[in-house]
Amino acid sequence: MRSALVTVAVVVAAAALLPLAYANQLLLFNFVVFLTLAQGVNIIYGFTGYLPFGYVGFFGAGAYGFSLAVMHLHLAPLPALACAAAAAVLLGLLLTPLLRLSGAYFAIANLAASQAMLQIVSNPNLTDITKGPYGVSLSGVFSPNLSYGVAVAILAATLAVMVFLRHSRFGLALQAIREDPVTAGMAGIDVVRGRTVAWLLSALVAGSIGGVFAWYVSVFYPETVFSPEFSIFAIVFALFGGIATITGPILGVLILYGIYNAIGISAPQYFQLIYGMLIMGLVLFLPNGIVSLFKRWGFDVP
Amino acid sequence: MSPEPLLAVSGLVKSFGGLVVLDGVNFHVMPGEILGLVGPNGSGKTTCINVITGLYKPQAGSITYRGRAVGGLPSHRLVHLGINRTFQVPKPFLPLTVRQNVEVAAAYGRPDDLAVDIDALLASVGLDGHAGKPAAALNSIQQKMLDLARALATGPRLLCVDELAAGLNPAELDGVAQKLRDLARGGMGLLVVEHLMGFIDQVTDRVIVLNAGREIFEGVLAEAVRDRQVVDVFLGTDHDD
Ligand SMILES: Nc1ncnc2c1ncn2[C@@H]1O[C@H](COP(=O)(O)OP(=O)(O)O)[C@@H](O)[C@H]1O
Ligand SMILES: [Mg+2]
C-alpha cells in the first residue's frame, strides 16, 4: 500500500512539474493520456480478463461528448468534461451485452463497436451535429495549460482507483471473477455486477481523458479520436508492463511510448505492426508483463 | 409432525441438447443429515449439484430450500441463502493467495457480517502453513481442501460435496469423514457424491442411487447393495444369478 502510494505520488508529481522544465508540453500531454488509458485497460483487462480492442470507442465518445457540450450547449470546459464522462459511461451501458461474449469474440465485437462509433460520428448527414468528417474546432475554449493540469488530475484519480482496486475486497472479487467466474459465483460474488462495474469504470476513465484530449488539442478529426492506435497502444503498454499491478502499465508507457517517440515517429506504421505482434507474444509468453520478471527475481512490485 | 426438509428436489429435469441428463429426480435432505448421492459415471450426479447451486436452470421440476422455491436463482444469491458446494475439479483463484481465496468468499458469501477466523478455518482443512502461498502452488488434493474452506467460509446450511475423497490416503479419508460428520452434527445438511463405498458407508445416513438421470433407490447403503436394480447398474445387466 505504502509503496503503491509513493509510486503514484512520484508519477503525478513528475507529470505536474515536468512542463516547467521541458518545453514540449504536447509530448508530455500524450504521455499523460497514455498513462491514463493504460490504467483504464488495466481495470477491465487486468481485473476481469476482457481484452478491450475497441477501447478507443470510449475515448472518442468522451472527445465528442466534450465537443458537443461546448458547441451546442455552450458549456464551460469543466461541465463539458462531465458530459464527456457521461457519454462514455452511456456507451459502456449500451455495450454491456458484449460482456456475455468470451475471449476473442468480445475483443472483435468491441473493435467493431468502436469502428461503428467512428462511422456514426463522421457521417456527413450528421454534419450539423458532429461536424461529420470535417472535424471539430473548439478554439473558443483552447487553454493548453489548464487542460494539461486537468489531465494530470484525471491521471491522479485513475491511479487512486487502481490503488483502491489493488487493496480492496472489490478488487479481490474482480480478480476472482477473472480467474474463474463459476467459483467466484460460489464465493458469493455477483459476477455480472462486478464485470459491469469494472467495464463502466474503465469507460469513465477513457471518456474523461478523451474529453480533456478534445479540450487540449481543440481541433481534431473523427479519425483522430477513434484511431485504433489508441486501443492497441494502451493494451500493449499495459500488457508489456504487467496487468493487475499499478507499476506495470506505468513502466510499459514510459518504456514503449518513450521508444516510440525516440525512433518511431518517423515510421509509425511499423510500430502498429510491431506492437500488434508484441501483444500476441506477450499474451502467449509473458502474460504478466515485465513486472513479473522483477517479482521472479524477488522484488515486490506494487 | 415431521420436521421440514432443508432441501427438497422434485421432478428435476435438465438436458444438454438432446441428451437428458436429469430425468425427473426426487429427493430431500434434512438439517443435520448426510445424504449420499451415488451412481455410475455420467449418471448425472454433478449435474444435479450444478442445478441445485445455480450453474444451470432446471428445465422442469422444483427445488425447495427451507420452504422457498430457489430453482433458477443465480449462484451468488443461493450462496447468500446458505447453499454451497465443492467442485469435483476445483478451480481456485490461482494467483491469489490461499488466504485471499478464503477471504473473498468470507467477504462476499455470508448473509451475516460475522467475522470468519480464516486461520482456524484453514487449519481445520489441513492448510495451515500454506496461507501465504498462491493457490497455484497447491497440489490437487490441497486445492480440494481449499475449495472446501472456500465453501465453509460462506457459512452454509446446505453443503454439496462432489467427490472430495477421490485421491486421499486412508488417514486423510478418515479426517475428511470426521470433518463432514462434525459439520452435520452442527446442523448442516450435506449432499455427498462419492465413488468410494467405504467412505459413503462411513459418513452417510441414507443414500440415493442415480442411474441415467433417475433415482433407482433410496434408503440405507446396506440395503442398496442387496437391491437387484442397483446391483445391475453397478455390475452390468448381463450377469445372471
Ligand atoms: N455442460 C454440459 N454440456 C453437455 N453435456 C454435459 C454437460 N455437463 C454434463 N454433461 C453430460 O451429462 C452427463 C452426466 O454428467 P455428470 O453430471 O457430470 O455425471 P456424473 O457426475 O454422475 O459422473 C454426462 O453424459 C455428461 O457428458
Ligand atoms: Mg461428477
Side-chain angles (χ1 to χ4, degrees):
Chain A
M1 182 83 177
R2 166 87 51 85
S3 59
L5 288 176
V6 170
T7 309
V8 169
V10 169
V11 170
V12 171
L17 298 177
L18 270 176
L20 304 177
Y22 181 70
N24 192 345
Q25 193 193 40
L26 174 62
L27 181 62
L28 294 175
F29 180 81
N30 284 334
F31 266 97
V32 172
V33 167
F34 278 113
L35 283 169
T36 310
L37 287 177
Q39 295 294 355
V41 165
N42 199 7
I43 295 174
I44 184 67
Y45 184 60
F47 284 85
T48 72
Y50 286 98
L51 195 54
F53 263 109
Y55 193 51
V56 71
F58 296 137
F59 183 81
Y64 271 89
F66 180 86
S67 305
L68 297 187
V70 169
M71 290 188 299
H72 300 297
L73 306 177
H74 308 290
L75 293 186
L78 287 181
L81 273 181
C83 295
V89 171
L90 208 63
L91 177 64
L93 276 173
L94 279 174
L95 295 183
T96 44
L98 295 192
L99 297 175
R100 288 189 211 140
L101 303 173
S102 60
Y105 297 102
F106 170 84
I108 291 166
N110 185 213
L111 179 63
S114 71
Q115 289 309 296
M117 287 288 296
L118 169 61
Q119 296 308 321
I120 293 168
V121 166
S122 57
N123 187 331
N125 295 325
L126 294 180
T127 300
D128 286 346
I129 303 170
T130 63
K131 307 285 186 218
Y134 313 108
V136 169
S137 173
L138 308 169
S139 41
V141 295
F142 182 64
S143 173
N145 291 339
L146 184 55
S147 51
Y148 183 89
V150 173
V152 172
I154 289 170
L155 171 63
T158 304
L159 291 170
V161 167
M162 285 307 302
V163 174
F164 168 73
L165 287 181
R166 284 271 297 174
H167 297 277
S168 65
R169 289 170 160 191
F170 181 61
L172 216 51
L174 289 182
Q175 294 184 72
I177 294 173
R178 178 194 66 203
E179 288 309 310
D180 193 76
V182 171
T183 309
M186 291 316 297
I189 299 163
D190 186 338
V191 172
V192 174
R193 188 167 69 184
R195 282 175 174 163
T196 306
V197 170
W199 176 239
L200 296 181
L201 213 52
S202 74
L204 177 68
V205 166
S208 308
I209 204 71
V212 188
F213 182 87
W215 182 15
Y216 185 86
V217 298
S218 288
V219 177
F220 62 88
Y221 294 98
E223 294 81 14
T224 321
V225 294
F226 284 102
S227 163
E229 199 170 87
F230 281 107
S231 311
I232 293 178
F233 277 25
I235 289 170
V236 79
F237 297 160
L239 267 174
F240 178 79
I243 49 161
T245 68
I246 295 163
T247 329
I250 296 173
L251 285 178
V253 171
L254 296 183
I255 295 171
L256 291 186
Y257 197 54
I259 294 175
Y260 173 78
N261 281 291
I263 59 175
I265 292 283
S266 53
Q269 67 275 27
Y270 296 118
F271 268 75
Q272 281 211 28
L273 186 69
I274 293 168
Y275 283 179
M277 285 164 49
L278 204 52
I279 291 180
M280 289 195 290
L282 287 165
V283 169
L284 288 175
F285 301 113
L286 198 61
N288 296 316
I290 50 171
V291 292
S292 66
L293 293 178
F294 291 113
K295 283 184 188 161
R296 218 174 287 167
W297 296 329
F299 298 98
D300 187 32
V301 190
Chain B
M1 195 187 123
S2 64
E4 197 189 17
L6 181 64
L7 176 79
V9 166
S10 156
L12 203 60
V13 174
K14 172 68 195 168
S15 54
F16 295 104
L19 179 69
V20 181
V21 174
L22 298 179
D23 193 8
V25 174
N26 308 286
F27 64 85
H28 68 275
V29 182
M30 303 301 291
E33 181 188 34
I34 303 185
L35 177 69
L37 181 57
V38 298
N41 271 330
S43 56
K45 305 179 298 291
T46 296
T47 303
C48 189
I49 293 181
N50 285 345
V51 174
I52 292 169
T53 56
L55 266 62
Y56 307 125
K57 285 185 172 39
Q59 282 152 341
S62 66
I63 304 171
T64 310
Y65 168 76
R66 302 180 76 206
R68 173 177 172 179
V70 296
L73 288 183
S75 294
H76 69 275
R77 295 273 311 279
L78 296 167
V79 170
H80 296 157
L81 291 173
I83 300 178
N84 219 306
R85 53 100 51 92
T86 68
F87 290 89
Q88 186 174 341
V89 182
K91 299 212 171 52
F93 314 126
L94 293 174
L96 304 192
T97 64
V98 166
R99 165 183 290 284
Q100 284 175 322
N101 268 265
V102 178
E103 239 167 32
V104 74
Y108 280 85
R110 296 187 74 92
D112 51 53
D113 271 338
L114 240 92
V116 180
D117 185 344
I118 303 218
D119 290 313
L121 185 54
L122 286 176
S124 78
V125 297
L127 288 177
D128 36 344
H130 299 280
K133 291 184 189 167
L138 300 184
N139 65 33
S140 64
I141 288 171
Q142 290 168 328
Q143 290 194 357
K144 283 191 169 192
M145 292 303 135
L146 174 58
D147 200 35
L148 177 61
R150 192 257 318 131
L152 293 177
T154 66
R157 290 169 188 266
L158 172 69
L159 181 65
C160 307
V161 177
D162 198 352
E163 300 200 23
L164 188 62
L168 299 185
N169 68 36
E172 290 165 336
L173 274 177
D174 279 344
V176 168
Q178 183 65 43
K179 173 94 192 153
L180 297 185
R181 279 201 305 266
D182 286 348
L183 292 171
R185 201 166 305 123
M188 195 184 289
L190 284 92
L191 179 66
V192 174
V193 169
E194 199 47 77
H195 281 300
L196 304 170
M197 284 306 144
F199 184 82
I200 285 286
D201 191 33
Q202 202 179 347
V203 301
T204 62
D205 302 305
R206 196 160 58 89
V207 297
I208 296 282
V209 180
L210 210 59
N211 182 42
R214 288 171 179 274
E215 79 281 0
I216 56 167
F217 177 87
E218 190 260 292
V220 296
L221 185 66
E223 279 167 32
V225 297
R226 288 196 296 270
D227 184 280
R228 175 61 195 261
Q229 215 185 341
V230 172
V231 172
D232 281 350
V233 160
F234 276 93
L235 300 180
T237 42
D238 52 343
H239 71 112
D240 36 11
D241 54 330

